[in-house]
């Protein structure tokens, strides 16, 4: 279950908290909005792309994440997998590795990875996909 999505260096991105059960991502509609007013640009697609990217996916250079490459944006997803609390972070650039804290050593058996002194595990996105 996803608990939280945020950025460590893009301060205009507000951290999103998720609760147990069904969570909906909606844009607020002002009372003065007409039926033809759109809710574009509030971040719904960006949020989904961040989750996808942090969990090992790629992104389009023309999409919302692609526009953040020059800013060296870093995002993270905090989630629970099989009762284990994990934080997965990633810098927005093609082929960037994922950095994970909280991953049990037994999950890493047989997978290529590096472990830092701060107990952060770094691996290629494809390896994360194989593990999860």
């Amino acid at each position: 279950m996803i608990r939280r999505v945020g950025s460590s260096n893009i301060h205009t991105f507000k951290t999103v908290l998720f609760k147990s059960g069904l969570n909906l991502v909606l844009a607020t509609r002002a009372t003065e909005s007409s039926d033809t007013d759109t809710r574009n640009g509030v971040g719904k697609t960006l949020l989904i792309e961040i989750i996808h990217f942090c969990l090992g996916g790629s992104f389009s250079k023309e999409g919302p994440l692609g526009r953040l490459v020059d800013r060296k944006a870093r995002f993270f997803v905090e989630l629970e997998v099989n009762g284990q609390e994990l934080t997965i972070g990633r810098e927005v650039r093609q082929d960037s590795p994922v950095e994970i804290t909280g991953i049990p050593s037994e999950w890493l058996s047989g997978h290529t990875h590096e472990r830092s002194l701060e107990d952060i595990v770094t691996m290629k996105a494809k390896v994360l996909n194989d593990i999860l």
Side-chain angles (χ1 to χ4, degrees):
M1 180 183 135
I2 297 173
R3 304 265 186 219
R4 189 166 79 126
V5 177
S7 175
S8 58
N9 66 347
I10 302 295
H11 304 294
T12 54
F13 182 83
K14 295 179 183 170
T15 299
V16 179
L17 302 175
F18 292 86
K19 297 179 180 179
S20 294
L22 177 66
N23 290 264
L24 301 175
V25 179
L26 304 170
T28 303
R29 181 176 176 175
T31 55
E32 63 272 4
S33 297
S34 72
D35 288 340
T36 59
D37 289 333
T38 69
R39 280 8 113 212
N40 293 333
V42 295
K44 299 179 302 294
T45 301
L46 177 61
L47 176 63
I48 300 304
E49 286 196 10
I50 290 168
I51 295 168
H52 172 74
F53 180 67
C54 284
L55 296 179
S58 60
F59 65 92
S60 166
K61 292 178 185 176
E62 294 79 32
L65 275 179
R67 292 189 285 270
L68 295 172
V69 170
D70 292 338
R71 293 178 65 185
K72 297 186 178 184
R74 292 191 58 78
F75 292 98
F76 64 85
V77 174
E78 291 179 359
L79 66 156
E80 181 181 329
V81 178
N82 295 331
Q84 191 69 40
E85 298 284 334
L86 306 175
T87 300
I88 302 173
R90 197 166 178 200
E91 182 178 326
V92 179
R93 60 184 166 83
Q94 296 296 339
D95 298 323
S96 63
V98 292
E99 296 179 344
I100 309 166
T101 57
I103 191 165
S105 296
E106 58 268 16
W107 291 11
L108 299 171
S109 180
H111 297 284
T112 304
H113 66 281
E114 296 177 17
R115 187 179 290 274
S116 72
L117 294 175
E118 297 84 26
D119 209 28
I120 298 172
V121 174
T122 304
M123 64 183 65
K124 292 185 177 186
K126 182 182 180 332
V127 175
L128 176 65
N129 289 329
D130 291 344
I131 292 171
L132 295 181

